[in-house]
Amino acid sequence: MVTKQKISFAPSIRRLPQYLHVIRQFESTGGDYISGTLIANELNLEPIQVRKDLAITGIIGKPKRGYPAGELIKAIEHYLGWDISHKAIVVGAGNLGSALMGYQEFRNNGLDIVAGFDSDPTKIGSRIHGVQIHNIDSLDEIVAQIKPEIAILTVPSPFAQSSCESIVKSGIKSIWNFTNTKLKVPDYVSVQREDLSSGYAMLSVMMQQLAKNLDSIEN
Amino acid sequence: MVTKQKISFAPSIRRLPQYLHVIRQFESTGGDYISGTLIANELNLEPIQVRKDLAITGIIGKPKRGYPAGELIKAIEHYLGWDISHKAIVVGAGNLGSALMGYQEFRNNGLDIVAGFDSDPTKIGSRIHGVQIHNIDSLDEIVAQIKPEIAILTVPSPFAQSSCESIVKSGIKSIWNFTNTKLKVPDYVSVQREDLSSGYAMLSVMMQQLAKNLDSIEN
DNA sequence: TAGATTGTTAATCGATTAACAATC
DNA sequence: TAGATTGTTAATCGATTAACAATC
């Protein structure tokens, strides 16, 4: 049986795209070797953390000089699988779905959104950011044709579970879930949850600490 | 000096909204006492983790019965500050900004989006999901009037830093950053970064493990 | 009552940070 | 060369999980 696995080094993996961004910028301005210290300064992190994180990609740096920027970019991209193209569909072509279809950053990193799906007749047949929108009823058929690896789920939450089931039935095994619904999926399907509420919770607690700090200064 | 602080219990705080969602649903169907075990089952977590997390809100449960649902909801809401209204503005009324303005989940949790800002003349003066869109040049003025606590930043990344500076100058101290830009802000301003790339990185690594597992089964 | 569930205390696990020799 | 930076090994820190007495 394929057991649901935890991803090791999750915190490091989540930081890699930030590094990639900084290193690409560095390279595009003609930079040659980039040090962990420089990356750390740019992102308000500790140099040792950057070095440890980069090590998981297999890159070897040069003492005193840093890491060869070009190779480092390739190493991160390869580690993340961003050096090859991944076809994806967007299920739910509302505002959020539309935003994601137009997100250039994804395309730069191998995520190729090839189709959108919606139930709204005024959207079906149109193109959003160049992506053709299909009737959600034709999901099975079109997935069979174009064989995408990823489904990005951006429907309103009441439709999340049922849409998810259509996606699973169509044969897609990776779902990026932007709804606030905990999806029930078979073991062989993996779900990455993108939970805006959790970010809002963090923001809220930060705000309370901010208020507390101001109080303690004033009094 | 107000030093930039780390939030303790961040992982627990991030899970609280999920619990809240489950408990509200439970209560709305007439549920009385809800056990940590039930919540854990619903979210594929360990009961002990749920109990530990709930404990930080100060809730006291009853052995054998669980937690009083109504009180538990109030405790979580209060811990997060979601029991009082927080005025927010959205800077950048593109697709993502529009999606957030229409996100009912936020309104249910005290986040009151009272104005949007954009530089596009066709948007200025209109309403998106009921929210009035203003010229970004009038940010200062309107913030002075309505005194929002939070700015949600959804401009294209080339404008992120400059928009951020306008926000800071206007006096707002909490920024929810949906751009992929690392913002440079004074010490007394806190930024919550919502980084879609990090989610995509996790998804990508999950997909690789999926592929590896299938391989090992086939061979 | 019996047994499920709580809260507490301790053990484990993994991530971050520190220390430092190696080196370009 | 001198010194900044690497990679490795160890120490610390915090989060998760386990064990279990208390109890409704």
Side-chain angles (χ1 to χ4, degrees):
Chain A
M1 200 197 70
V2 186
T3 316
K4 205 133 285 189
Q5 292 181 359
K6 284 216 177 136
I7 303 284
S8 355
F9 313 121
S12 301
I13 291 167
R14 288 184 169 281
R15 283 187 294 266
L16 288 177
Q18 294 182 46
Y19 302 157
L20 188 56
H21 191 78
V22 170
I23 302 157
R24 278 178 178 161
Q25 210 137 4
F26 176 84
E27 201 207 24
S28 75
T29 60
D32 194 11
Y33 276 75
I34 186 168
S35 76
T37 312
L38 188 101
I39 298 172
N41 284 343
E42 200 68 30
L43 297 167
N44 285 116
L45 299 172
E46 295 298 321
I48 173 64
Q49 185 169 58
V50 175
R51 276 181 278 149
K52 268 275 158 80
D53 287 346
L54 294 180
I56 70 174
T57 70
I59 189 76
I60 308 273
K62 278 201 176 52
K64 161 108 174 137
R65 308 208 54 196
Y67 304 87
E71 276 181 49
L72 183 49
I73 292 170
K74 285 210 186 89
I76 297 174
E77 285 177 345
H78 182 72
Y79 181 81
L80 295 175
W82 289 6
D83 52 351
I84 53 177
S85 171
H86 300 280
K87 280 189 260 185
I89 58 171
V90 168
V91 179
N95 278 313
L96 180 56
S98 301
L100 298 179
M101 287 188 256
Y103 204 37
Q104 197 53 42
E105 176 95 351
F106 289 162
R107 209 163 285 276
N108 294 344
N109 291 314
L111 188 70
D112 184 20
I113 299 176
V114 292
F117 293 87
D118 208 292
S119 58
D120 179 349
T122 66
K123 284 176 186 160
I124 295 168
S126 74
R127 282 177 176 274
I128 298 178
H129 295 295
V131 177
Q132 180 84 41
I133 309 302
H134 303 270
N135 189 323
I136 187 125
D137 294 335
S138 61
L139 186 82
D140 245 35
E141 196 184 323
I142 291 177
V143 167
Q145 269 173 41
I146 59 186
K147 302 199 190 344
E149 291 173 78
I150 302 164
I152 303 174
L153 187 61
T154 52
V155 298
S157 38
F159 305 106
Q161 182 59 39
S162 66
S163 301
C164 169
E165 281 158 21
S166 304
I167 290 166
V168 169
K169 202 157 7 128
S170 82
I172 291 178
K173 292 187 186 57
S174 299
I175 299 176
W176 199 1
N177 178 20
F178 283 82
T179 77
N180 65 357
T181 304
K182 168 81 188 176
L183 300 176
K184 290 172 179 65
V185 295
D187 253 11
Y188 59 86
V189 172
S190 61
V191 176
Q192 169 63 26
R193 189 169 183 176
E194 211 61 45
D195 192 353
L196 296 191
S197 299
S198 78
Y200 177 42
M202 288 294 292
L203 182 81
S204 304
V205 173
M206 274 173 21
M207 280 170 49
Q208 291 185 341
Q209 294 206 352
L210 217 73
K212 224 178 291 171
N213 283 340
L214 285 179
D215 269 11
S216 69
I217 287 165
E218 279 166 11
N219 304 322
Chain B
M1 199 197 72
V2 186
T3 318
K4 206 131 286 188
Q5 292 181 357
K6 284 218 178 134
I7 304 286
S8 352
F9 312 121
S12 300
I13 290 167
R14 287 184 168 280
R15 284 186 294 265
L16 288 177
Q18 295 183 46
Y19 301 158
L20 188 56
H21 191 78
V22 170
I23 302 157
R24 279 178 177 160
Q25 209 137 2
F26 176 85
E27 202 208 22
S28 75
T29 60
D32 194 11
Y33 276 76
I34 186 169
S35 75
T37 313
L38 188 100
I39 299 172
N41 284 342
E42 201 67 31
L43 297 168
N44 286 115
L45 300 171
E46 296 298 320
I48 174 65
Q49 185 169 58
V50 174
R51 275 180 278 151
K52 267 274 158 77
D53 288 345
L54 294 179
I56 70 175
T57 69
I59 189 76
I60 308 274
K62 278 200 176 53
K64 159 109 173 138
R65 307 209 56 196
Y67 304 87
E71 277 181 49
L72 182 49
I73 291 170
K74 285 210 188 87
I76 296 174
E77 285 176 346
H78 182 71
Y79 181 81
L80 295 176
W82 288 6
D83 52 350
I84 52 176
S85 170
H86 301 279
K87 279 189 260 187
I89 60 171
V90 168
V91 179
N95 279 313
L96 180 56
S98 301
L100 298 179
M101 288 188 254
Y103 204 36
Q104 197 52 42
E105 175 95 351
F106 289 162
R107 209 163 284 276
N108 294 343
N109 291 314
L111 188 71
D112 185 19
I113 298 175
V114 292
F117 293 86
D118 208 290
S119 58
D120 179 350
T122 67
K123 285 176 184 160
I124 295 166
S126 74
R127 283 179 175 272
I128 297 178
H129 295 294
V131 178
Q132 181 84 41
I133 309 302
H134 303 270
N135 191 324
I136 188 122
D137 293 335
S138 60
L139 186 83
D140 245 35
E141 197 184 321
I142 291 178
V143 166
Q145 268 174 41
I146 59 186
K147 302 198 194 339
E149 292 173 78
I150 302 163
I152 303 175
L153 186 61
T154 51
V155 298
S157 39
F159 305 106
Q161 182 59 39
S162 66
S163 302
C164 169
E165 280 158 22
S166 304
I167 290 166
V168 169
K169 201 154 13 126
S170 81
I172 291 179
K173 292 188 188 56
S174 298
I175 299 176
W176 198 1
N177 178 20
F178 283 82
T179 78
N180 65 357
T181 304
K182 168 81 188 177
L183 300 175
K184 290 173 179 64
V185 295
D187 253 11
Y188 59 86
V189 172
S190 61
V191 176
Q192 169 64 25
R193 188 170 183 177
E194 209 63 43
D195 190 353
L196 296 191
S197 299
S198 78
Y200 177 43
M202 287 295 290
L203 182 81
S204 303
V205 173
M206 274 174 20
M207 280 171 49
Q208 291 184 342
Q209 294 207 352
L210 216 74
K212 225 178 292 170
N213 283 339
L214 286 179
D215 270 11
S216 69
I217 287 166
E218 279 167 9
N219 304 323

